[in-house]
Amino acid sequence: MKQENCIVGQSGGPTVAINASLAGIIASRSFKNVYGMLYGIEGLLNGNITNLSALNNDKFINELTHTPAMYLGSCRYKLPNSQQVYDKVFNIFKKHNITTMFYIGGNDSMDTVLKLSKVAPPDIKILGIPKTIDNDLPLTDYTPGYGSAAKYIATTFLEIAHDAYTYNLASITIVEVMGRNAGWLTAAASLARTNYCAAPHLIYLPEIPFCLNKFVEDVIEIQKQHRIIVIAVSEGIKDIQGEYISAETETVDAFGHHQLCGVAKVLESRLRDEVDCKIRSIEINVLQRSSAHCASSVDIQGAFSLGTAAVAAALDGETGKMMCFNRLSNSPYKYEIVSKDIFSIANLEKPFPAEWIFNSDVSQAYIEYALPLIQGEAKSRYENGIPVYCDIAHLMQK
Amino acid sequence: MKQENCIVGQSGGPTVAINASLAGIIASRSFKNVYGMLYGIEGLLNGNITNLSALNNDKFINELTHTPAMYLGSCRYKLPNSQQVYDKVFNIFKKHNITTMFYIGGNDSMDTVLKLSKVAPPDIKILGIPKTIDNDLPLTDYTPGYGSAAKYIATTFLEIAHDAYTYNLASITIVEVMGRNAGWLTAAASLARTNYCAAPHLIYLPEIPFCLNKFVEDVIEIQKQHRIIVIAVSEGIKDIQGEYISAETETVDAFGHHQLCGVAKVLESRLRDEVDCKIRSIEINVLQRSSAHCASSVDIQGAFSLGTAAVAAALDGETGKMMCFNRLSNSPYKYEIVSKDIFSIANLEKPFPAEWIFNSDVSQAYIEYALPLIQGEAKSRYENGIPVYCDIAHLMQK
C-alpha cells in the first residue's frame, strides 16, 4: 500500500453504476486514505471532503456497489480556466497528501479531468472513469450505467406491452425515453422484443430529423398489421430545422404558466387528430437512471472493474486518461480495460451510428452490440421488502 | 379428477398477480378441462373461448405465475340485467359441460359474479377471486396485485429519493401514484422510508379533502427541516367540494386540445408560484401495475393459493362467494383463506381507514399492515437479459 492518498469525485447525472466504480477504488486498498469530494469538484473547492477509508469492509463495499445515484453527491460545475482555482485544488491535495484524483462522470466531467491534468504538478495523477446512462462518451465500448438503464428500459417496454395487450381494442402507447441528443437509450427499447411480441413497433432516435407528418404516416401504416402499437421515442428528437419537437407544443395552465410538454404528450396530441383509437403516453422519467433494483450484472461488474483498473493505471504513473472498455467479442462477451487520452474524449459526443438506424427502427447490429450489456441481474440484499442501499444521510447534513 | 369442466375469466385493470391465480386453478388438476374466456365475460358472450388444459406443465405454470397483466385478456363490461344474456352464458356452459366459473377481478368484476350466481342453474358454481392494485375490495385482508404494486412503489420512492439527494441544492419531487379513490397505493410510498431517509416527507391520500393552500403551507413547513423533499400524491385527491384536483388545471396545447393535467403537474405549477427551488413531477403511470420484475413473493404466492382454494371451494359445492384472505397475525405473517358472500363485496369499496391518516402522513398501523405484503422477491427466469413471460400472441389474433 502506498503512503499516499487519493481522492474520488462523482459528477453529472445519476446512474445506478457510478457507485460501483467508487467501490472498486475503495476496495483496491492501494492508498493509505481514500478521500471523497462531496458534491464533486464544486464541493472540493468548498472544502467538502470526507475520508472513506474506514468504510472499506465487505458489507459496505457490497451495498455501495448496488446503490443508485451518487454516494458522494454530484455537481454540474464547469471548472473555470483560472489559475487561482487550479491552485486552490492542488493546495487542498497537498494539504491532504493526495497524489491521485479519480473523477467519475460523463462528457462534462471529463472536461474537468482534461483541465486539471493539463496543469497538474508532475507528481499528481488525474484519471477519468466514465459513467452516463446516455452512453455518449467516445472511445469506450460503453459507459457504465447504460447497460442497467438499457435493461430497465427493455424490461419496462416488455411489461408495458403486456399491459397494452390486455384489452380487445386498438391502442397506441407512446413511451418517452431519456438520452438527450443521443439515441442509445431509446434504441434499448428494441431489446424488449420477443418471439411473440414486436413491441416497440416504431422507434424514433434524435439522430434522424423527426417529421410529424411522416410519424403519422408510419403509425397508420403499422396499424394495418398491428392492432396494438407501442412506440419508443427519444426526449431529444428534433425537426429538420433542429428544433426540439417537445418545444413545439407549449401548454398554458390555469395559473398562467407556460409548461414545456414532454415529447410523448406532443405526439399523443397530434395522433388524436389523425387516428381513432385509445392513445396514451408514458414518460419513464428518472426511473430509468435510478432503478438499481433492475441493474445489469455485466454493467455493475464492469463499473467496479473500471475503478480497480483506474487505481492500477494511477499506480503505473498514468494521468490525463480515461479508463475505457475495449470489446474483444460479442458472444461470448469479452472485453479488456484500457486507458485513453482524455483530450480525445472530453467535450465530445458519440452519436448513435447512423448505419444502425433505418425505417423508424434499429438494426440487428445494435442488438448484437447491446445484448451483452444487459445480461445478469445485479442483486441487492433486501430488508423490509425493499433493497438495502447505502446510507446517504451524510449528504443531507452538507 | 371430475369429469366436468371449468372456465376462468380475468377482468378489470391489470396487475402482476392476476395470472398467478389462473395458474393456481390450472395446476389444481381438478377438472377435466380448464377453459379460459378471452377478454372476460364480454369475450365469452362473443364465443371467445380457449382450452388451457394442454398448458398444464411446470414450465408454463411457473411462467404464467410471473407474467404481468392478463394472460386471457380483460374487459370492462357491466353485465346487463338481461335474462337473454344470462341464458346465453349458461347455454355456452352447457355446450362445453362447464359446471364452474371462476372470475378474477376487482369491484366491477365481482358484480358479474353476483349477477350470474343469483340466476345460475343449481348445478353451476360461480366463484370470484379478487385482484386489484387499488386494494379496495371489502372483506379480504388485501387484494392480489396490491402487495407487488406496493413493493414497486416503495422501491421506486427509495430510488427516487437517492436520485433527489444527488445535488447540493434544495429540491421538491412530486410523485403521482395510482389508486383512483382509494389511498392504499399512495400510502405504500411510506414503506420506502429507511433509518437514513425520511422520504416521502408528505403523503396525500384521496380519503382526506385536499386544500392547495394547506399543501403549500405543509411544504414550506417541511422545508424548515428538510432541504430535499419527496412528496407522494394520489391521482384521486379531491377538494372539499369533491372536485378532482387534477381537473382544476386544464392545459391547452398548440393543436387547441384541452389536456387534463396529472395532479402532480398541477401541484408542481402551484409550488412554482410559492417556493424558489428546483421542482419536478413524476407520474409512475402503468409501471406500478405492470412491473412483474419487482413483484412480491407473498403477493404472488397468495394469488396462486387463492386459485387453488377457489377450486377446493367449488368442489365443496360453494357458489356466489369470493375467496378472501383472513389475516391471523402480522409477525410472523399468517393467514387463512376463507370464502365470503359476494353480495357483501360486489360494488362496494374499502377506503383507506381514516384513523390511519394524520398530518399528511400515514400511521404505524398501516406500516404494520402493509409490510408483510411486500416481502420476498418473486423471481422470473431471465433470457436475453429480460424476464421470460408467457406468450401473449394468442391474444393478438383475436
Side-chain angles (χ1 to χ4, degrees):
Chain A
M1 189 191 288
K2 298 189 82 169
Q3 283 309 300
E4 296 158 9
N5 303 322
C6 74
I7 191 163
V8 191
Q10 298 175 313
S11 169
T15 81
V16 305
I18 189 167
N19 288 324
S21 295
L22 172 61
I25 294 167
I26 299 174
S28 73
R29 298 177 188 269
S30 299
F31 293 90
K32 190 175 173 202
N33 288 293
V34 177
Y35 291 105
M37 314 176 185
L38 295 179
Y39 302 113
I41 194 76
E42 191 176 21
L44 179 82
L45 288 167
N46 294 323
N48 227 337
I49 292 182
T50 188
N51 191 332
L52 302 165
S53 306
L55 300 171
N56 193 1
N57 60 73
D58 288 352
K59 180 172 170 290
F60 179 81
I61 292 296
N62 185 50
E63 275 179 26
L64 182 62
T65 300
H66 295 99
T67 296
M70 278 81 159
Y71 178 71
L72 297 172
S74 182
C75 66
R76 293 198 183 274
Y77 180 78
K78 202 168 172 71
L79 206 60
N81 270 316
S82 146
Q83 193 57 47
Q84 204 182 348
V85 171
Y86 298 147
D87 288 347
K88 192 167 180 186
V89 170
F90 296 118
N91 281 336
I92 295 169
F93 285 9
K94 197 167 183 184
K95 185 176 155 199
H96 293 277
N97 196 25
I98 291 166
T99 56
T100 304
M101 166 178 153
F102 302 104
Y103 210 50
I104 318 172
N107 316 63
D108 297 336
S109 312
M110 293 309 137
D111 176 71
T112 299
V113 174
L114 175 65
K115 282 177 177 153
L116 288 178
S117 61
K118 276 205 282 195
V119 297
D123 60 327
I124 301 287
K125 270 77 73 185
I126 315 274
L127 288 160
I129 299 174
K131 73 80 217 163
T132 161
I133 58 167
D134 296 341
N135 202 34
D136 59 351
L137 279 176
L139 300 191
T140 182
D141 180 53
Y142 77 96
T143 57
Y146 177 66
S148 296
K151 186 184 187 77
Y152 179 79
I153 288 166
T155 301
T156 296
F157 267 83
L158 173 63
E159 291 170 340
I160 287 173
H162 275 261
D163 191 272
Y165 281 96
T166 299
Y167 297 108
N168 194 12
L169 46 83
S171 71
I172 299 170
T173 305
I174 307 164
V175 188
E176 177 172 335
V177 183
M178 283 180 164
R180 294 191 302 175
N181 299 320
W184 294 101
L185 274 183
T186 307
S190 66
L191 304 171
R193 290 180 185 143
T194 62
N195 57 1
Y196 61 83
C197 185
H201 304 84
L202 294 166
I203 298 177
Y204 296 97
L205 308 190
E207 282 81 359
I208 301 287
F210 185 87
C211 168
L212 268 169
N213 291 336
K214 172 72 166 54
F215 167 71
V216 172
E217 281 169 28
D218 289 349
V219 170
I220 289 170
E221 188 58 34
I222 213 96
Q223 279 193 317
K224 291 176 188 165
Q225 304 155 53
H226 298 278
R227 200 173 35 123
I228 291 161
I229 301 175
V230 179
I231 300 171
V233 60
S234 164
E235 63 177 3
I237 53 168
K238 300 186 201 81
D239 65 20
I240 193 83
Q241 277 83 37
E243 298 289 323
Y244 285 104
I245 299 296
S246 53
E248 276 207 6
T249 302
E250 227 182 5
T251 63
V252 184
D253 69 22
F255 304 104
H257 296 288
H258 286 254
Q259 293 193 329
L260 198 65
C261 250
V263 67
K265 275 262 171 272
V266 175
L267 302 189
E268 180 188 333
S269 250
R270 177 58 190 267
L271 282 185
R272 287 196 188 287
D273 282 342
E274 311 275 354
V275 180
D276 183 26
C277 71
K278 182 184 170 189
I279 308 173
R280 59 182 183 173
S281 57
I282 298 170
E283 225 183 295
I284 313 185
N285 214 305
V286 301
L287 310 185
Q288 61 205 291
R289 73 181 189 197
S290 59
S291 290
H293 75 272
C294 187
S296 143
S297 298
V298 164
D299 188 32
I300 299 297
Q301 286 164 14
F304 190 96
S305 303
L306 284 188
T308 315
V311 169
L315 298 181
D316 278 353
E318 295 199 55
T319 187
K321 304 281 182 75
M322 185 184 84
M323 307 314 295
C324 295
F325 295 114
N326 184 32
R327 188 181 300 209
L328 302 172
S329 73
N330 282 346
S331 179
Y333 173 58
K334 284 186 190 169
Y335 67 89
E336 60 183 1
I337 295 175
V338 294
S339 60
K340 299 202 178 165
D341 285 334
I342 195 72
F343 62 79
S344 322
I345 298 170
N347 305 310
L348 298 171
E349 283 185 10
K350 180 175 72 176
F352 192 87
E355 65 272 22
W356 286 3
I357 311 177
F358 67 93
N359 291 344
S360 314
D361 206 340
V362 296
S363 71
Q364 184 60 25
Y366 167 72
I367 307 276
E368 282 162 23
Y369 161 78
L371 259 185
L373 309 180
I374 68 166
Q375 300 305 308
E377 292 70 57
K379 290 284 183 324
S380 305
R381 192 165 61 84
Y382 276 70
E383 222 173 74
N384 293 322
I386 56 175
V388 177
Y389 296 140
C390 279
D391 185 336
I392 44 171
H394 71 104
L395 282 177
M396 295 175 212
Q397 285 121 35
K398 304 288 173 179
Chain B
M1 191 190 289
K2 298 189 83 169
Q3 284 308 301
E4 297 158 9
N5 303 322
C6 73
I7 191 162
V8 192
Q10 299 175 311
S11 169
T15 81
V16 304
I18 189 165
N19 289 324
S21 294
L22 172 61
I25 294 167
I26 300 174
S28 73
R29 298 176 188 269
S30 301
F31 293 90
K32 191 176 174 201
N33 288 293
V34 177
Y35 291 105
M37 314 175 184
L38 294 179
Y39 303 113
I41 193 76
E42 190 176 21
L44 179 83
L45 289 167
N46 294 322
N48 227 337
I49 292 183
T50 189
N51 190 333
L52 301 166
S53 307
L55 299 171
N56 193 1
N57 60 72
D58 288 351
K59 181 172 169 290
F60 179 80
I61 292 296
N62 185 50
E63 274 178 28
L64 182 62
T65 301
H66 294 99
T67 296
M70 277 81 159
Y71 178 72
L72 296 173
S74 181
C75 66
R76 292 198 183 276
Y77 179 77
K78 201 167 173 71
L79 206 60
N81 270 317
S82 146
Q83 192 58 45
Q84 203 183 349
V85 172
Y86 298 147
D87 287 347
K88 191 168 182 187
V89 170
F90 296 118
N91 282 336
I92 295 170
F93 285 8
K94 198 169 185 182
K95 185 177 156 199
H96 293 276
N97 196 26
I98 290 166
T99 56
T100 305
M101 166 179 154
F102 301 104
Y103 210 49
I104 318 173
N107 316 61
D108 297 336
S109 312
M110 292 310 136
D111 176 69
T112 299
V113 174
L114 174 65
K115 283 175 176 153
L116 288 178
S117 60
K118 274 204 282 195
V119 297
D123 60 327
I124 301 287
K125 270 78 72 186
I126 315 274
L127 288 160
I129 299 175
K131 73 81 218 160
T132 162
I133 58 167
D134 297 341
N135 201 35
D136 58 353
L137 280 176
L139 298 192
T140 182
D141 181 52
Y142 76 98
T143 57
Y146 177 65
S148 296
K151 186 184 186 78
Y152 179 79
I153 287 165
T155 301
T156 296
F157 266 84
L158 173 63
E159 291 170 341
I160 286 173
H162 275 261
D163 192 273
Y165 281 95
T166 299
Y167 298 107
N168 193 13
L169 46 83
S171 72
I172 299 169
T173 305
I174 306 164
V175 187
E176 178 173 335
V177 183
M178 283 180 164
R180 296 190 301 174
N181 299 320
W184 294 102
L185 275 183
T186 306
S190 66
L191 304 171
R193 291 181 185 142
T194 62
N195 57 0
Y196 61 82
C197 184
H201 304 84
L202 294 166
I203 298 178
Y204 296 97
L205 307 191
E207 281 82 358
I208 299 286
F210 185 86
C211 168
L212 269 169
N213 291 336
K214 172 69 166 58
F215 167 70
V216 173
E217 280 169 28
D218 288 349
V219 170
I220 290 171
E221 188 58 34
I222 212 97
Q223 278 193 318
K224 291 178 186 165
Q225 305 155 52
H226 298 277
R227 201 173 35 125
I228 292 160
I229 301 174
V230 178
I231 301 170
V233 61
S234 164
E235 62 177 3
I237 52 169
K238 300 187 200 83
D239 65 20
I240 193 84
Q241 278 83 36
E243 297 289 324
Y244 284 104
I245 299 296
S246 52
E248 275 206 6
T249 303
E250 226 183 4
T251 64
V252 184
D253 69 24
F255 303 105
H257 296 288
H258 285 254
Q259 294 193 329
L260 198 64
C261 249
V263 67
K265 276 261 172 275
V266 175
L267 302 191
E268 180 188 333
S269 251
R270 177 58 191 267
L271 281 185
R272 287 196 189 288
D273 282 343
E274 310 276 354
V275 180
D276 182 26
C277 70
K278 182 182 170 190
I279 308 172
R280 59 182 185 174
S281 57
I282 299 170
E283 226 182 295
I284 311 184
N285 215 304
V286 301
L287 310 184
Q288 60 204 292
R289 73 183 189 196
S290 58
S291 290
H293 75 272
C294 187
S296 141
S297 300
V298 164
D299 188 32
I300 299 297
Q301 286 164 15
F304 190 97
S305 303
L306 283 188
T308 315
V311 169
L315 298 181
D316 278 353
E318 296 199 54
T319 186
K321 303 280 182 78
M322 185 184 86
M323 308 313 295
C324 296
F325 293 114
N326 184 32
R327 187 180 301 209
L328 303 173
S329 72
N330 282 346
S331 178
Y333 173 59
K334 284 186 191 169
Y335 66 89
E336 59 183 0
I337 296 177
V338 294
S339 60
K340 298 201 178 167
D341 284 335
I342 196 71
F343 63 77
S344 323
I345 298 171
N347 305 309
L348 298 171
E349 282 185 10
K350 180 176 71 177
F352 191 87
E355 65 271 24
W356 287 2
I357 311 176
F358 66 94
N359 291 343
S360 316
D361 206 341
V362 296
S363 70
Q364 183 60 23
Y366 168 72
I367 307 275
E368 282 161 24
Y369 161 77
L371 259 184
L373 309 180
I374 67 166
Q375 298 306 307
E377 292 70 58
K379 290 286 181 322
S380 305
R381 191 166 61 83
Y382 276 69
E383 222 173 76
N384 293 322
I386 55 175
V388 177
Y389 297 140
C390 278
D391 185 337
I392 44 172
H394 72 104
L395 282 178
M396 296 176 212
Q397 284 122 38
K398 303 288 173 178

